Amino acid sequence: MANILIVGGGFAGLVAAEKLAASVGRSHQITLVAPNRNFTFYPALVELAFGECETSDISFDLARKLSSIGVRFVQGELIRINEGLRTAVVAGEDFNGEIAYDHLMIAMGRRLATEKVAGFFEHSHHILGLNAAARFGKALEEFHEGTIVVGMCPSARLPVPVCETAFALARRFESKLGDGSVKIKAIFPESLSSAFGGADLHRQLESAFAKYKIAVLYDVPISEITPSEVVSEQKHRIEYDLLMLVPPFRGQAILNYLGITDGDDFVKVDDRMKVYGLNNTYAAGDIVAFSGPKFAHMAVRQAEVAAANIAAELNGEERQRTYYHEIAAVIDAGGPDSIYLHYGIWDDHLHRLKQGKFWTWAKEIHDALWRARHR
């Protein structure tokens, strides 16, 4: 019997655990370590901030879910990987010590590097977490007039919630946008194409932004936030009364000593999700060093590939599953301006762009089914 250790309880960790439990769980021990016993469905955090769902709708007990499929759950933080001994040092509420493994899956996700932008912690909201989304929602309830700025910091790697937040704000403050008592600005550190991994969708998004009276500012790499202004590296100064930004993303510096990370602390893997330089070790999700944005559907597909190749190794078979880096995402504008984008980041010959209210419905149905199937 082999010991399979998964570190991380987000999309990649959960999906890898499910796939491995279904394929090799009867013959091998699977353990998942995560600091939080709750799973959060991140794509719905914009809805949570705007009061369109409850916390219970988009989170569930991860430990209970894993127990139901025969996976051991350990609540704790990874302290160190001893690659030579094949052990992981974990510290947490219910376990402190070493966990031995034969195969390791790193799915720790990204770190929100708010310290990279001076004043972020003190002055900006974000929505990348249940509590953070709730705080932004409360600030919205108390907001009545002025300028709302939403945007991405450099290296934020997550443009969809910026767009969806801007559109949701436009719906909420439609009449006040009309009389000028509320203004909405969306800020991107680069072009829209760059924010979406090279995909050409700027005409459709710009048209939708203009229709909803949202001002869009490109090439504004935010470097500092004061109590009333966003300041860029080029010394742009943009005033705000309410601010929501996606902070910079980084990987996990705790892994740097292993020599497996890039300059931003993300883990380097091949197209089979195998970690370069470590035996029997895979990685998936936001922790991996692939270019472009970091979306949940990418983490899911990476986890499926990694789990299939781990199972193949355990069964003495050749690893055949490979990952193709592409975007398949819906930007929900709440109506006919919603956009479906399917784009190959590694092959820009794949580029499909569709628009219409259907994609709002499709996203709602897909998200509801995903939550129901996995909780």
Side-chain angles (χ1 to χ4, degrees), residues 76-372:
E77 297 271 2
L78 176 70
I79 304 302
R80 185 176 180 83
I81 294 171
N82 296 317
E83 196 267 339
L85 299 175
R86 290 195 185 176
T87 62
V89 180
V90 174
E93 294 184 10
D94 54 4
F95 183 89
N96 282 281
E98 293 186 336
I99 300 176
Y101 67 83
D102 297 292
H103 282 77
L104 176 64
M105 166 84 166
I106 301 172
M108 299 167 66
R110 76 289 182 272
R111 182 177 70 84
L112 301 182
T114 57
E115 77 282 356
K116 296 292 182 179
V117 177
F120 189 106
F121 181 81
E122 295 86 354
H123 307 302
S124 181
H125 290 277
H126 69 81
I127 55 170
L128 299 183
L130 295 174
N131 293 334
R135 285 193 294 270
F136 181 57
K138 184 178 180 181
L140 282 174
E141 292 175 0
E142 298 171 353
F143 182 85
H144 301 292
E145 63 179 20
T147 299
I148 308 174
V149 172
V150 299
M152 293 170 58
C153 295
S155 303
R157 313 282 292 271
L158 199 58
V160 170
V162 174
C163 299
E164 292 188 338
T165 298
F167 290 129
L169 287 168
R171 294 194 296 272
R172 172 170 287 199
F173 295 107
E174 181 178 5
S175 62
K176 293 188 175 184
L177 283 169
D179 65 25
S181 60
V182 168
K183 296 179 180 179
I184 302 170
K185 297 180 179 181
I187 297 176
F188 295 89
E190 51 199 351
S191 67
L192 274 176
S193 174
S194 296
F196 282 89
D200 181 12
L201 77 168
H202 66 279
R203 287 183 294 273
Q204 289 78 6
L205 265 180
E206 286 173 349
S207 175
F209 283 139
K211 176 179 177 180
Y212 289 99
K213 298 182 172 63
I214 300 166
V216 187
L217 304 175
Y218 307 116
D219 299 315
V220 182
I222 298 168
S223 60
E224 181 185 357
I225 302 168
T226 75
S228 60
E229 292 181 320
V230 171
V231 183
S232 80
E233 295 174 5
Q234 284 80 29
K235 304 306 178 184
H236 302 99
R237 306 189 77 92
I238 302 162
E239 295 184 350
Y240 70 87
D241 297 289
L242 180 61
L243 180 64
M244 192 291 289
L245 299 173
V246 179
F249 285 5
R250 290 292 185 276
Q252 303 291 342
I254 195 174
L255 302 173
N256 289 352
Y257 72 95
L258 293 168
I260 62 173
T261 55
D262 67 6
D264 291 325
D265 304 330
F266 294 108
V267 175
K268 295 178 285 188
V269 298
D270 62 19
D271 63 356
R272 288 172 169 77
M273 308 312 299
K274 172 88 166 48
V275 176
Y276 286 112
L278 291 186
N279 294 323
N280 295 354
T281 303
Y282 291 77
D286 286 356
I287 190 65
V288 302
F290 288 147
S291 61
K294 292 183 177 293
F295 295 153
H297 75 87
M298 294 173 170
V300 168
R301 290 189 295 105
Q302 291 164 13
E304 292 172 344
V305 170
N309 288 325
I310 291 172
E313 286 189 0
L314 290 169
N315 293 329
E317 302 168 356
E318 183 179 353
R319 297 177 297 118
Q320 295 185 340
R321 286 287 297 274
T322 58
Y323 171 72
Y324 178 74
H325 199 36
E326 64 183 4
I327 295 172
V330 173
I331 304 169
D332 183 6
D337 297 293
S338 294
I339 294 172
Y340 168 73
L341 172 66
H342 189 192
Y343 174 70
I345 296 176
W346 288 345
D347 178 9
D348 58 11
H349 288 91
L350 170 61
H351 191 290
R352 284 184 285 178
L353 195 65
K354 299 182 180 181
Q355 204 163 5
K357 191 171 184 178
F358 168 80
W359 298 109
T360 293
W361 298 334
K363 183 171 185 175
E364 291 173 353
I365 293 169
H366 171 272
D367 289 359
L369 288 175
W370 200 97
R371 295 196 299 267

